Amino acid sequence: MKTTVVANWKMNPSNWREAKRLFAATRKAAEHAPQVSLIVAPPTLYLRELRATYAGRKIAFAVQNAHEGTSGAYTGELSFAQCKDSGASYVLVGHAERREMGESNEETGKKVTAALQNSLVPVLCVGESQRSGSGEHFEFVRTQLRAGISAVEPQHIARVIVAYEPVWAIGAQKPMTPRDMHEMAIFIRKSIVDIKGEKGMAVKILYGGAIDDTSAPEMLKRGDVHGLLVGRASEDVHKISGLLAAIENA
Ligand code: PGA
């Protein structure tokens, strides 16, 4: 199975010229990484034009957020239908940085449903802010999962991707250990099956938080994940090339 890599550019780069440059480097790196299924999540403002200039099939596009309403008086927001129309096929839902800005569990559930209704694949992001010795983070993640997928019909659950990103590893120096990820992946899979039944076994699980070319191969080998959600290492022309090469050669 191919390795899914989501390149989350966040609010970067600062202008269209740089965005084209980053995309050109990303695209070149992707062509040398046939085992990687790459999803680029640029700022939505750049998406339509990047999509229009890209004739290949190797890269798919995501938006980093969308609003669950279909249309109307929501100043500053973008609907799932608009994102789909701009060329996105994936959407990040409930990224830690959106949750930090106030996005609730209830909203993530609505967004997952709206994404599926608009034929977009939701990448539901979950993860605890901190860990204590008592294991409360498992219950925290289960609550986020339940809220995110509770309204999904069991026959559609396999279309959802779950990205586990412990908030303490996002933007950090190092990712969590592959061993801890393995444990969390088992827990996430079991939780989804508890909530949605056996079809939940097919849900892809990604890891995100401080991944780069040095940590990616081990995480993929031992972390029990189908892929990676990458911030900083996807926002730099050299780092993205190094990352994709490291995954391809692992
Ligand atoms: P990072 O971000 O790779 O820069 O730690 C990951 C993310 O926020 O998705």
Side-chain angles (χ1 to χ4, degrees):
M1 197 195 283
K2 287 192 182 192
T3 302
T4 301
V5 175
V6 182
N8 179 14
W9 291 5
K10 306 192 178 181
M11 203 166 72
N12 304 295
S14 58
N15 60 61
W16 170 236
R17 201 169 58 87
E18 287 299 312
K20 277 192 295 190
R21 219 177 127 239
L22 176 57
F23 187 73
T26 303
R27 167 187 188 162
K28 205 161 155 224
E31 277 158 17
H32 293 105
Q35 290 312 310
V36 174
S37 169
L38 185 64
I39 301 162
V40 174
T44 311
L45 204 57
Y46 301 148
L47 199 152
R48 182 181 285 277
E49 203 157 342
L50 287 177
R51 182 83 201 87
T53 55
Y54 178 63
R57 299 169 58 104
K58 173 83 195 152
I59 297 175
F61 291 87
V63 287
Q64 300 169 14
N65 178 43
H67 188 278
E68 64 272 21
T70 47
S71 64
Y74 299 103
T75 301
E77 297 289 344
L78 298 168
S79 73
F80 285 85
Q82 288 168 333
C83 294
K84 173 85 185 168
D85 183 64
S86 297
S89 18
Y90 294 79
V91 56
L92 303 187
V93 174
H95 188 279
E97 287 152 14
R98 304 286 328 162
R99 292 184 191 262
E100 176 68 25
M101 287 180 237
E103 186 159 319
S104 66
N105 266 337
E106 191 192 341
E107 279 170 280
T108 65
K110 288 183 185 160
K111 290 183 183 195
V112 166
T113 309
L116 293 172
Q117 278 165 354
N118 286 282
S119 304
L120 287 156
V121 174
V123 180
L124 174 65
C125 303
V126 298
E128 77 285 354
S129 316
Q130 54 198 22
R131 285 194 171 193
S132 65
S134 54
E136 282 150 19
H137 53 278
F138 286 111
E139 215 31 61
F140 186 87
V141 167
R142 192 197 290 267
T143 302
Q144 287 184 328
L145 283 171
R146 189 178 291 117
I149 63 172
S150 62
V152 177
E153 300 284 344
Q155 71 263 31
H156 295 147
I157 191 65
R159 289 166 57 200
V160 176
I161 294 176
V162 170
Y164 172 69
E165 299 199 292
V167 180
W168 46 269
I170 296 175
Q173 288 294 95
K174 280 190 179 163
M176 77 189 288
T177 66
R179 197 162 179 271
D180 284 347
M181 182 61 233
H182 190 129
E183 185 186 32
M184 183 50 86
I186 293 170
F187 176 78
I188 288 174
R189 210 170 291 118
K190 179 174 183 322
S191 298
I192 298 172
V193 169
D194 287 348
I195 301 165
K196 289 288 140 182
E198 281 302 311
K199 291 213 162 63
M201 283 302 284
V203 170
K204 277 191 192 156
I205 301 174
L206 314 182
Y207 168 79
I211 281 291
D212 61 13
D213 57 334
T214 58
S215 53
E218 268 308 285
M219 186 57 86
L220 291 168
K221 201 186 283 172
R222 304 198 203 289
D224 192 18
V225 290
H226 302 87
L228 303 165
L229 174 48
V230 184
R232 284 160 296 164
S234 76
E235 298 158 9
D236 175 288
V237 292
H238 302 294
K239 288 186 185 158
I240 185 67
S241 309
L243 175 74
L244 296 187
I247 295 172
E248 188 64 25
N249 300 325

